[in-house]
Amino acid sequence: MALEHPDLSGRTAFITGTTRGIGKQIALALAEAGCNVVSTGKTVDDTDSDLDGTIHETVDECEERGVDAHAIQLDLRDAEAVEAAAAEAIDVFGEVDIVINNASAIQMANIEEMPANRFDLMTDVNVRGTYLTSRAFVPHLKDIGGGRILTNAPPVAMDRAPGKAAYAWSKMGMTFVTLSLASELSGTNVAANSFWPVTVIDTRASRYFGMGTEDDWRSPAIVADTVLELLGRDDEFTGNAVYDEDVLREAGITDFSEYNLTEGDPAPLSAQLFDPDYERPE
């Protein structure tokens, strides 16, 4: 069964971390659906980097899909810069009704081995960045009568994470902020939800940190399709932390092979990263 994506014509999304990987795929998918895109991230020049992709390249590819797009260089650790980026996006497009917290820093190690500055980086980019970005847009979303806040983060299903405490804390903190906002914004037509892939997604981070092999990965397209499905729901769907497979099953998808890098469905390693007891529903 093919997905029926929502028509997002005339809407505008502010997305963090769009230079490559999941964030870029989300930006392009939204552009395909007619949504204008604000592409944000730190990389504006990749000529001297081993990482391909810039926020401007994402803008160009969005515009090739017939929408308007705008790039803003942004360090999520800078509170004033986040406020300024939100103001710039609103000034350029008039309204921004979709906010997607995608950008994240990652490193996994035992507490004894994790330097304090790496802990601070993940806290600042992941949970604090989600807090700052969402907070910057809340007055605007309320003023325009509603909108969507979506965060790429897992359900909160554990109280300890040996070997990955700093990363787990920061990712679950993203969800905690988002679901708290959902309750605070009840009655405003602003919906806030988090989404998370069941399997590991093929990104530079997955490859760099050795998070399995291609047999364990899916393409970022499954996350982008999940975001589109969530954006197609009404504002009464709020305060939820969902898995991509569950969202797509509810949309009628039973065969996920188009997202797999190799034959056979990958194991649910990403879900089990934060919920060791996770099992797919029968």
Side-chain angles (χ1 to χ4, degrees):
M1 176 180 176
L3 289 171
E4 294 185 10
H5 292 318
D7 181 1
L8 302 179
S9 300
R11 301 180 68 177
T12 300
F14 182 100
I15 310 170
T16 64
T18 58
T19 55
R20 61 189 68 87
I22 293 172
K24 181 172 183 177
Q25 189 65 45
I26 291 173
L28 298 183
L30 266 61
E32 288 278 4
C35 188
N36 300 323
V37 171
V38 182
S39 169
T40 76
K42 294 177 66 177
T43 307
V44 296
D45 183 358
D46 61 357
T47 54
D48 295 325
S49 172
D50 62 348
L51 298 176
D52 293 330
T54 71
I55 55 175
H56 297 290
E57 289 175 3
T58 299
V59 161
D60 292 341
E61 293 182 44
C62 287
E63 291 179 338
E64 289 172 0
R65 288 158 171 78
V67 302
D68 293 326
H70 182 70
I72 302 177
Q73 187 176 26
L74 179 60
D75 182 349
L76 287 174
R77 295 170 293 181
D78 185 334
E80 291 184 359
V82 173
E83 289 282 350
E88 180 177 338
I90 294 166
D91 182 61
V92 169
F93 288 101
E95 287 189 1
V96 176
D97 63 327
I98 299 169
V99 178
I100 300 178
N101 297 298
N102 167 74
S104 286
I106 178 174
Q107 185 169 333
M108 287 186 248
N110 291 334
I111 293 171
E112 181 182 6
E113 299 165 351
M114 177 71 73
N117 65 339
R118 295 300 299 178
F119 176 91
D120 291 343
L121 174 67
M122 286 185 282
T123 298
D124 289 349
V125 172
N126 300 358
V127 61
R128 187 171 180 267
T130 296
Y131 174 87
L132 292 174
T133 302
S134 302
R135 182 177 184 273
F137 279 99
V138 164
H140 175 70
L141 294 173
K142 292 167 72 173
D143 284 346
I144 65 175
R148 301 288 184 274
I149 298 172
L150 292 173
T151 300
N152 185 4
V156 179
M158 63 195 308
D159 63 3
R160 69 205 68 191
K164 50 183 180 284
Y167 180 58
W169 137 254
S170 67
K171 290 302 295 185
M172 290 190 290
M174 294 171 70
T175 299
F176 196 87
V177 167
T178 303
L179 301 189
S180 297
L181 264 177
S183 295
E184 293 174 1
L185 296 172
S186 176
T188 65
N189 299 322
V190 179
N193 299 285
S194 72
F195 58 92
W196 189 246
V198 168
T199 69
V200 177
I201 302 300
D202 181 16
T203 65
R204 181 183 181 276
S206 301
R207 293 175 178 268
Y208 182 82
F209 288 103
M211 300 170 69
T213 68
E214 289 191 354
D215 290 339
D216 301 305
W217 302 336
R218 283 183 173 146
S219 75
I222 191 170
V223 183
D225 281 350
T226 298
V227 168
L228 286 171
E229 285 301 309
L230 291 174
L231 290 175
R233 298 186 177 189
D234 60 35
D235 55 47
E236 292 182 1
F237 187 82
T238 186
N240 301 284
V242 297
Y243 287 115
D244 58 355
E245 288 185 6
D246 293 339
V247 172
L248 296 179
R249 283 195 194 93
E250 291 168 4
I253 299 298
T254 57
D255 181 1
F256 295 97
S257 60
E258 67 176 288
Y259 304 114
N260 301 341
L261 270 61
T262 61
E263 291 186 8
D265 281 333
L269 299 182
S270 184
Q272 291 172 349
L273 189 66
F274 300 107
D275 183 1
D277 297 325
Y278 175 87
E279 294 183 2
R280 286 187 171 103
E282 297 293 335

